[in-house]
């Protein structure tokens, strides 16, 4: 048989084994392909080669001296000798001898022991007696940071940590200091390390020089049981490995290349795992005594009481008197089963989930304009994009790993980044995506509607509208053009404080893109009329002609791990699993026949509606799963009144939250670490969640509780495992039958787009593009905004001791000019007040906060909530309340 | 004593010459630049430099014209010229004199080189300690700018060249061309692995030529007097032109001597340098800066050109000739040099980083009377494990004093070790608790 030789591939022989690899392949990678493992310290596939450790030397025919295989790219016909060359073996031995000369050999107390490259290679190459009889270099121990520990005597100076921090994270927190043998890895400044705490340096260190303080001295690697699962915090859906010893969580890490995160994690993922096993976890079912205290009861009793009381309400007042709220942190199986239980057993359509706090503002426009309720792009498309438009997202802090994809596109592939964001492009200890922007327009949190108006207007006015739209959808763009004529550039410039030419520039770059991806964050999704802004951005995509182009699309960044899944499981008002709209009779009927049940015919209700109805007594029983409306909404929303009014409040929770304290029956549920199931990430990938530890106390997975409750109530919907539920989900939602390591994004439905372009857009076009003028900046008041922090996600992470070491309390963040204006000292206290109340908070100066504003992390909003007033979006029923205005005085 | 025509040092050796623009122009300065801009295409300049046989004067001796030829002609982005003025090699002090005494000669060379390779910007990376040199160059650049030699439209042509002076921060390694580029970019001065070479991926990953001060100073003369003239000086065909040798150590008249390549060490040391400073005879010498292996009196008749010195087992390097008289301890000399290399090893590559401290400690121990049998074999083995195993040539350089002194004066090491053995009281190397 003639030898196969593709012209694009190069032939290489490594240790006598022939292999064909594409041009540009490094010798070390070519060798890996044929099973020749070349030892190395400094090389890592994520990083640019540095060739400093000299461990990977190989002999290459026709080349002088030994070459580093990590930096040499293959050429056709290259002959490489690695393990078969005595010269190479001797060279590696000598490199190890050099490294070990100053190494402390403290393996017995080193956390890396047992999974250390230096240990493994030493075992493979060096004799047991060292020729080094001189003095060892010793670095005195220095405190490094609350979470990351360095032990520089163990360092092999491969600089992987430094390079990772720069090349992947774009944080540049670490640097080598000193020269020669005195080189040590340090951070900048005379204080403890202050960085993103992504844990990347710990993960990438080949030896025990950088380790995690959370698990110091707690284990040997072979004692740990590993479970691959999905991070429970944001919607990025990072895959990580939980490692436990005797049912205790010891460590979390992520294998190189694993999951959508490709092995990268953020602080929440890497250091936030203790939240699951916090001592405050509920261990037993509780029933409230008349005096308000709780008593522990056996499961049987709790379920019986809960079942009886819920059924009692159903029988007396009908299913419509019962409503359910569930958190999007639950698995798909649980969300699905919850809505099925509520509909089939309790006979109500009044179900809602935490996607209501913002994610629906993205879902509704996507369904309406392009017929697909999820991303039509993937993380790979973000990396491959040539233009990225980020609107209202401080992506590093909300969706750090999606942020890494953006960084990769910009830093390594030269994509152009456009940002509409409140943040100012000021560098700091945490990376700020706007500093990478080639066109950044600062936008007031209330000004996104106008900013998008300006962008659309700029695109139309400079004739950037794609020819196919101009020809085939004349009506569409003419209408938008005429609506926007009423919105003058003078007004826009005055309100936004930005020249129109910036918008012309941004529109031009966006129009010229070959692969444009728009990402929308909480700044828009939680804003009043967020859905209108998203629809207008979809208009922008249509006008630029990008909607059909491969690799182009609009993504809505999910805040919670399973926001997308919650929507698709039908745990959302007015939707059945699919999501199928309740108004779609045929589709509803199909689901009913699959379930072989009658669907309730009563009205659905959203979260604000449910609370309102509870307050006036229309909803008499409330089943709340993992949701904590009392802490998620400001006091002015009167949640407390609603909770006190209902006759039956069943809470299924990890902790005795503010809401759970009002419950009549509290059922202890398992966290993500104790159960099986699936999460759907922000790009729509369904990923398996696996049980890593035994349930804490008597807690049960939510799905098991629903199942048991259905039995108690006499309408058994029983499942033996989460997998059985998932099978049913697959039969109801065909998309869930397509599982894989990467998402298969849906196509834009051309018929839906056509319907939109030729008529549907008109329904609200005037209203969508009409935005109230921004009131001029007040000299006497400060705009206070609740924002998300990189170190926390919702309130769940505030139970993680690792994250609390980095951020244990909320501080008022404002820039130095603003701090000086109000006479505030960094570290001092400020008193914030408005007509609703007053609170005292600590002050921190952060120069990326724009003038006239102050940020406060929402995770610690317990006291500050009283200053806010919620306003419910009339269209999507999203409660918007993340900003207010206050007066400030030093205290 | 033979008299040689001085080329690079000619101006500054005129009485009263202070290196101002006016004086430089009076001696024919900037005529080469005018000629180049007027008559020659960049390709013709490169051709002339190739034909002249000019080789780099920084140490490695790479042919300059060929280096320039590697720069891609049709590169769309910017290209750069970097003048390596980070003269830090112990025993070398020629560039300092060239910059301080005749800065315009260097500037003219830089401008012609920029024109040849199409670089609109040149950086002079000058050693941090050369504050005076930096000041003089800054002043010279201002003068040249005023006269229209530097700026957006040089001498009314479309050619625009800017020249900047950048001061180093005191690291020897920044004289290595890729470490120099890293440092110039504002990063830690660590060498890059090659390939890619600076000619295609240099400063900010753009095509870049890095040339030594003395190399560039030769360029105007090649343009003025022709490649053939230059190629006829020295020992053609491989080593053409003159070299400025920096003579130091135990000689009567240390200093910079410009001679055609190919004169012998004997002539440099005993005729130009006036011979040894005392009655003691010559014991050994370093022929080309601290990185070059030692040579012995047997090598006095070796010609000072690239090939002959290489054949003798050393290198012409940067041209720093350090002479040592009889009575100098070669162990001490090696130790002293090793201290320098240990201090300057950047720490990037394992063998050089760890090896330099290990070797230094062994030498210190031997010198302090703690030598042990087997130390010399260990030293040789460690040196062998460093040589050729590092990113840059520093690894090769740091072992050369040790290996060459071990080759020629091994008996001195052995004597110290014998003495130590004789006076040692305990035999066991690691004390062991015995009950």
């Amino acid at each position: 048989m003639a030898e196969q030789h593709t012209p694009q591939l190069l032939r290489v022989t490594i240790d006598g084994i022939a292999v064909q690899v594409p041009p540009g392949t490094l010798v070390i990678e070519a060798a890996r392909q044929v099973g020749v493992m070349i030892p190395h310290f400094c090389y890592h596939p994520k990083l640019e080669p540095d060739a400093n450790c000299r461990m990977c030397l190989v002999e290459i025919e026709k080349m002088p001296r030994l070459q580093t295989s990590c930096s040499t790219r293959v050429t056709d016909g290259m002959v490489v000798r690695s393990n078969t060359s005595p010269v190479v073996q001797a060279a590696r031995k000598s490199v190890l001898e050099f490294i070990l000369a100053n190494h402390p050999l403290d393996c017995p107390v080193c956390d890396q022991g047992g999974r250390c490259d230096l240990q493994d290679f030493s075992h493979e190459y060096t004799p047991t007696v060292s020729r080094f009889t001189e003095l060892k270099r010793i670095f005195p121990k220095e405190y490094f940071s609350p979470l990351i520990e360095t032990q520089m005597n163990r360092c092999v100076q491969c600089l992987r940590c430094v390079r990772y921090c720069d090349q992947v994270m774009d944080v540049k927190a670490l640097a080598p200091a000193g020269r020669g043998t005195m080189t040590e890895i340090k951070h900048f400044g005379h204080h403890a390390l202050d960085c993103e705490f992504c844990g990347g340096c710990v993960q990438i260190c080949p030896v025990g020089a950088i380790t995690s303080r959370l698990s110091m001295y707690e284990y040997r690697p072979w004692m740990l049981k590993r479970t691959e699962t999905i991070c429970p915090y944001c919607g990025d859906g990072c895959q990580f490995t939980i490692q436990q010893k005797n049912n205790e969580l010891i460590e979390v890490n992520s294998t190189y290349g694993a999951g959508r995160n490709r092995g990268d994690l953020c602080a929440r993922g890497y250091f936030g795992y203790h939240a699951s096993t916090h001592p405050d976890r509920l261990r037993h079912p509780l029933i409230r005594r008349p005096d308000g205290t709780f008593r522990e009861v056996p499961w049987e009793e709790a379920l019986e009481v809960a079942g009886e009381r819920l059924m009692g309400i159903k029988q007396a007042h009908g299913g419509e008197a019962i409503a359910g709220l569930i958190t999007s942190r639950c698995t798909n199986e649980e969300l699905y089963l919850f809505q099925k239980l509520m509909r089939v057993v309790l006979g109500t359509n009044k179900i809602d989930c935490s996607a209501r706090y913002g994610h629906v503002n993205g879902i509704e426009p996507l369904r309406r304009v392009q017929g697909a309720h999820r991303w039509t792009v993937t993380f790979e498309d973000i990396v491959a994009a040539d233009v990225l438009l980020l609107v209202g997202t401080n992506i590093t802090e909300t969706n750090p790993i999606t942020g890494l994809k953006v960084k990769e596109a910009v830093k390594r592939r030269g994509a152009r980044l456009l940002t509409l964001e409140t943040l100012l492009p000021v560098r700091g200890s945490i990376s700020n995506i706007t500093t990478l922007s080639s066109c950044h327009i600062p936008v007031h949190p209330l000004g996104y509607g106008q900013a998008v108006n300006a962008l659309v207007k700029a695109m139309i006015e400079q004739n950037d509208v794609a020819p196919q739209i101009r020809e085939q959808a004349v009506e569409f763009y003419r209408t938008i053009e005429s609506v926007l004529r009423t919105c003058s550039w003078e007004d826009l410039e005055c309100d936004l404080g930005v020249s129109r030419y910036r918008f012309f520039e941004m529109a031009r770059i966006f129009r010229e893109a070959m692969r444009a991806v728009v990402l929308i964050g909480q700044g828009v999704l939680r804003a009043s009329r967020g859905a209108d802004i998203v629809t207008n951005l979809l208009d922008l995509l249509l006008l630029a002609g990008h909607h059909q182009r491969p690799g182009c699309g609009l993504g809505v960044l999910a805040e919670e791990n399973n926001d997308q899944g919650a929507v698709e499981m039908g745990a959302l008002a007015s939707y059945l699993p699919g999501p199928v709209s309740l108004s779609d009779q045929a589709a509803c009927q199909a689901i009913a026949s699959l379930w072989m049940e009658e669907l309730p015919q009563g009205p659905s209700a959203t979260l604000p509606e449910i609370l309102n109805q509870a307050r006036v007594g229309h909803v008499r029983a409330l089943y709340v799963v993992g949701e904590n409306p009392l802490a998620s909404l400001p006091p002015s929303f009167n949640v407390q009144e609603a909770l006190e009014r209902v006759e039956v409040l069943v809470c299924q929770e990890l902790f005795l939250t503010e809401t759970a304290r009002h419950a009549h029956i509290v059922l202890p549920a398992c966290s993500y670490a104790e159960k099986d199931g699936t999460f759907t990430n922000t790009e729509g990938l369904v990923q398996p969640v696996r049980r890593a530890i035994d349930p804490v106390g008597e807690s049960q997975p939510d799905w098991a509780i629903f199942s048991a409750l259905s039995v108690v109530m006499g309408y058994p919907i029983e499942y033996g495992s989460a997998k059985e539920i998932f099978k049913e989900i697959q039969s109801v939602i065909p998309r869930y039958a397509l599982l894989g390591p990467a998402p298969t994004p849906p196509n834009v439905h051309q018929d839906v787009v056509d319907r939109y372009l030729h008529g549907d857009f008109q329904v609200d076009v005037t209203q969508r593009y009409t935005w109230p003028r921004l009131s001029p900046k007040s000299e006497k008041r400060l705009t206070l905004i609740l924002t998300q922090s990189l170190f926390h996600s919702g309130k769940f992470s505030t139970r993680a001791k690792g994250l609390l070491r980095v951020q244990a309390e909320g501080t008022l963040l404002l820039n130095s000019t603003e701090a000086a204006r109000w006479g505030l000292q960094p570290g001092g206290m400020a008193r914030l007040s408005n007509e609703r109340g007053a609170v005292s908070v600590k002050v921190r100066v952060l120069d990326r906060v724009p003038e006239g504003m102050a940020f406060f992390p929402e995770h610690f909003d317990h006291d500050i909530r009283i200053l806010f007033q919620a306003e419910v979006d009339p269209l999507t029923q999203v409660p918007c309340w993340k900003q207010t205005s206050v007066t400030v005085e030093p205290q | 004593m033979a008299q040689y025509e001085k080329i690079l040092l000619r101006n500054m050796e005129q009485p009263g010459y202070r290196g101002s623009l006016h004086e430089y122009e009076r001696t024919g300065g900037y005529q080469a630049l005018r000629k180049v801009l007027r008559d020659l295409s960049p390709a013709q300049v490169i051709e002339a430099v190739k034909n002249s046989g000019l080789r780099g004067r920084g140490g490695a001796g790479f042919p300059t014209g060929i280096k320039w030829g590697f720069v891609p002609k049709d590169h769309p982005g910017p290209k750069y010229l970097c003048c390596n003025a980070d003269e830090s090699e112990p025993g070398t002090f020629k560039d300092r004199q060239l910059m301080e005494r005749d800065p315009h000669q260097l500037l003219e060379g830089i401008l012609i080189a920029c024109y040849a390779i199409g670089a609109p910007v040149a950086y002079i990376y000058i050693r941090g300690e050369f504050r005076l040199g930096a000041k003089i160059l800054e002043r010279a650049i201002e003068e040249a700018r005023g006269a229209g030699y530097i700026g957006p439209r040089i001498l009314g042509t479309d050619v625009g060249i800017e020249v900047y002076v950048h001061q180093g921060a005191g690291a020897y390694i920044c004289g290595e061309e890729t470490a120099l580029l890293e440092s110039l970019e504002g990063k830690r001065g660590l060498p890059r692995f090659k390939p890619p070479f600076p000619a295609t991926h240099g400063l900010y990953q753009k095509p870049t030529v890095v040339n030594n001060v003395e190399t560039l100073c030769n360029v105007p003369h090649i343009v003025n007097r022709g490649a053939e003239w230059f190629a006829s000086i020295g020992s053609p065909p491989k080593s053409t032109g003159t070299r400025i040798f920096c003579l130091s150590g135990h000689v009567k008249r240390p200093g910079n001597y410009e001679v055609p390549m190919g004169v012998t060490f004997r002539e440099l040391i005993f005729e130009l340098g006036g011979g040894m400073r005392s009655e003691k005879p010559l014991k050994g010498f370093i022929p080309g800066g601290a990185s070059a292996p030692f040579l012995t009196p047997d090598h006095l008749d070796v010609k000072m050109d690239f090939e002959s010195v290489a054949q003798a087992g050393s290198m012409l390097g940067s041209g720093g000739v350090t002479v040592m008289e009889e009575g100098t301890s070669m162990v001490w000399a090696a130790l002293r040099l090793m201290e320098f290399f240990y201090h300057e090893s950047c720490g990037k590559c394992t063998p050089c980083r760890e090896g330099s401290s290990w070797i230094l400690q062994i030498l210190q121990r031997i010198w302090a009377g703690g030598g042990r049998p087997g130390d010399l074999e260990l030293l040789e083995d460690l040196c062998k494990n460093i040589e050729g195993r590092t990113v840059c040539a520093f690894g090769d350089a740091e072992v050369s004093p040790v290996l060459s002194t071990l080759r020629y004066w091994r008996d001195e090491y052995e004597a110290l070790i014998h003495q130590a053995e004789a006076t040692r009281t305990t035999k066991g190397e690691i004390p062991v608790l015995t009950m």
Side-chain angles (χ1 to χ4, degrees), chain A residues 76-351:
Chain A
D76 200 29
M78 188 181 258
V79 178
V80 180
R81 271 187 293 276
S82 168
N83 298 341
T84 54
S85 160
V87 185
V88 168
Q89 297 293 308
R92 291 180 188 161
K93 240 180 197 178
S94 91
V95 169
L96 276 171
E97 186 183 28
F98 281 130
I99 289 180
L100 290 173
N102 275 319
H103 190 83
L105 298 170
D106 59 346
C107 304
V109 291
C110 176
D111 284 336
Q112 194 81 357
R115 57 175 175 193
C116 170
D117 289 354
L118 184 55
Q119 257 184 354
D120 295 349
F121 299 149
S122 301
H123 186 256
E124 199 177 337
Y125 287 96
T126 21
T128 47
V129 179
S130 171
R131 296 190 290 172
F132 184 80
T133 55
E134 317 305 324
L135 295 176
K136 280 190 196 263
R137 167 225 53 204
I138 303 225
F139 292 114
K141 184 80 201 74
E142 278 175 28
Y143 177 76
F144 197 67
S145 82
L147 290 174
I148 297 171
E149 172 86 342
T150 58
Q151 179 43 269
M152 276 303 124
N153 293 323
R154 297 177 189 151
C155 179
V156 297
Q157 274 92 14
C158 67
L159 304 188
R160 271 201 208 173
C161 50
V162 175
R163 291 184 290 144
Y164 183 87
C165 198
D166 169 23
Q167 294 171 16
V168 176
M169 296 304 295
D170 191 36
V171 173
K172 302 180 179 75
L174 300 175
R179 200 151 69 191
T181 45
M182 301 312 288
T183 307
E184 53 182 325
I185 307 305
K186 290 213 161 178
H187 59 281
F188 297 94
H190 298 283
H191 48 73
L193 172 70
D194 174 19
C195 70
E196 286 189 16
F197 289 105
C198 68
C201 49
V202 183
Q203 289 210 62
I204 211 159
C205 180
V207 296
I210 305 186
T211 52
S212 160
R213 286 177 79 96
L214 284 189
S215 51
M216 224 173 7
Y217 308 136
E218 293 222 19
Y219 64 94
R220 296 273 99 182
W222 53 84
M223 296 171 177
L224 301 178
K225 276 194 201 153
R226 294 173 179 75
T227 311
E228 298 266 302
T229 188
I230 302 298
C231 177
Y233 289 120
C234 77
D236 288 346
C238 298
Q239 184 179 318
F240 62 30
T241 311
I242 294 186
Q243 316 201 39
Q244 59 107 333
K245 187 183 86 179
N246 302 335
N247 218 31
E248 258 178 73
L249 298 175
I250 300 294
E251 198 190 54
V252 157
N253 57 22
S254 187
T255 320
Y256 158 69
R260 303 302 291 156
N261 47 319
R262 299 276 174 260
D264 301 315
L265 290 175
C266 71
R268 302 192 287 242
Y270 195 78
F271 289 112
Y273 53 91
H274 280 121
S276 297
T277 49
H278 192 275
D280 288 353
R281 272 285 297 274
L282 288 170
R283 287 162 186 274
H284 307 279
L286 303 173
I287 288 185
R288 194 158 64 153
R289 297 195 185 96
D291 65 358
T293 58
F294 287 99
R295 71 187 165 96
E296 287 177 10
V297 294
W299 266 109
E300 291 74 10
E301 186 183 342
L303 287 172
E304 211 164 294
V305 174
E308 257 173 31
R309 299 197 61 181
L310 286 170
M311 280 322 255
I313 297 288
K314 183 186 175 186
Q315 274 147 15
H317 307 281
E320 284 167 40
I322 306 175
L325 296 174
I326 187 165
T327 172
S328 312
R329 294 209 187 277
C330 283
T331 64
N332 285 326
E333 290 74 1
E334 291 159 351
L335 289 155
Y336 174 84
L337 194 53
F338 179 70
Q339 60 86 29
K340 191 173 172 188
L341 175 87
M342 294 306 285
R343 292 183 212 275
V344 173
V345 179
L346 294 170
T348 179
N349 269 327
K350 293 178 180 170
I351 308 160

Side-chain angles (χ1 to χ4, degrees), chain A residues 741-763:
Chain A
T744 38
N747 290 325
V748 171
H749 289 239
Q750 197 51 51
D751 51 330
V752 177
V753 175
D754 287 341
R755 198 171 62 220
Y756 178 76
L757 283 176
H758 300 110
D760 182 34
F761 77 92
Q762 272 177 328
V763 176

Side-chain angles (χ1 to χ4, degrees), chain B residues 225-305:
Chain B
R225 299 169 75 173
E228 293 72 28
W229 161 80
F230 192 86
S232 69
I233 305 171
S235 56
K238 293 274 178 94
S239 300
T240 59
T242 60
R243 281 294 302 257
I244 302 174
F245 290 106
C246 319
L247 189 60
S248 64
H250 302 154
V251 288
K252 278 217 174 74
R253 287 197 299 271
N256 282 331
Y257 294 93
E258 184 180 14
V259 292
M261 272 197 264
V263 302
T264 62
F265 285 108
R266 186 183 300 282
E267 191 177 343
L268 177 72
I269 296 170
F270 287 97
E271 292 186 22
L272 299 167
M276 304 304 291
R277 66 171 182 180
S278 65
E279 295 311 307
K280 293 182 189 167
L282 174 71
K283 182 172 186 182
F285 61 90
I286 305 172
S291 306
F294 281 71
L295 292 177
T296 67
D298 296 346
H299 299 106
L300 274 176
D301 291 312
V302 169
K303 284 183 171 178
M304 299 173 75
D305 60 44

Side-chain angles (χ1 to χ4, degrees), chain A residues 49-54 57 65-68 70-72 87 90-92 94-99 101-102 130-137 155-159 176-183, chain B residues 170-173 188 190-191 193-195 342-358 361-362 365 372 375 377-378 381-382 385-392 396 429-430:
Chain A
D50 201 43
N52 66 47
C53 75
R54 319 308 285 178
L57 292 169
R65 329 200 293 183
L66 298 177
Q67 301 290 324
T68 44
C70 72
S71 64
T72 310
V87 185
R92 291 180 188 161
S94 91
V95 169
L96 276 171
E97 186 183 28
F98 281 130
I99 289 180
N102 275 319
S130 171
R131 296 190 290 172
F132 184 80
T133 55
E134 317 305 324
L135 295 176
K136 280 190 196 263
R137 167 225 53 204
C155 179
V156 297
Q157 274 92 14
C158 67
L159 304 188
R179 200 151 69 191
T181 45
M182 301 312 288
T183 307
Chain B
Y172 170 74
I173 195 63
R188 188 176 162 89
L190 301 182
F193 62 83
K194 297 185 264 192
Y342 164 72
H343 184 251
E344 294 295 349
S345 170
C346 75
K348 174 163 176 154
C349 306
T350 308
C352 170
R353 177 184 69 235
E354 304 294 338
S356 58
S357 86
W358 192 344
Q361 290 196 59
I362 297 177
R365 191 162 43 75
R372 289 190 287 256
D375 275 348
E377 291 70 25
L378 179 59
D381 199 44
L382 293 179
N385 287 338
I386 298 172
E387 224 177 350
R389 303 264 171 87
T390 53
V391 162
C392 75
D396 302 351
E429 291 195 347
I430 301 169

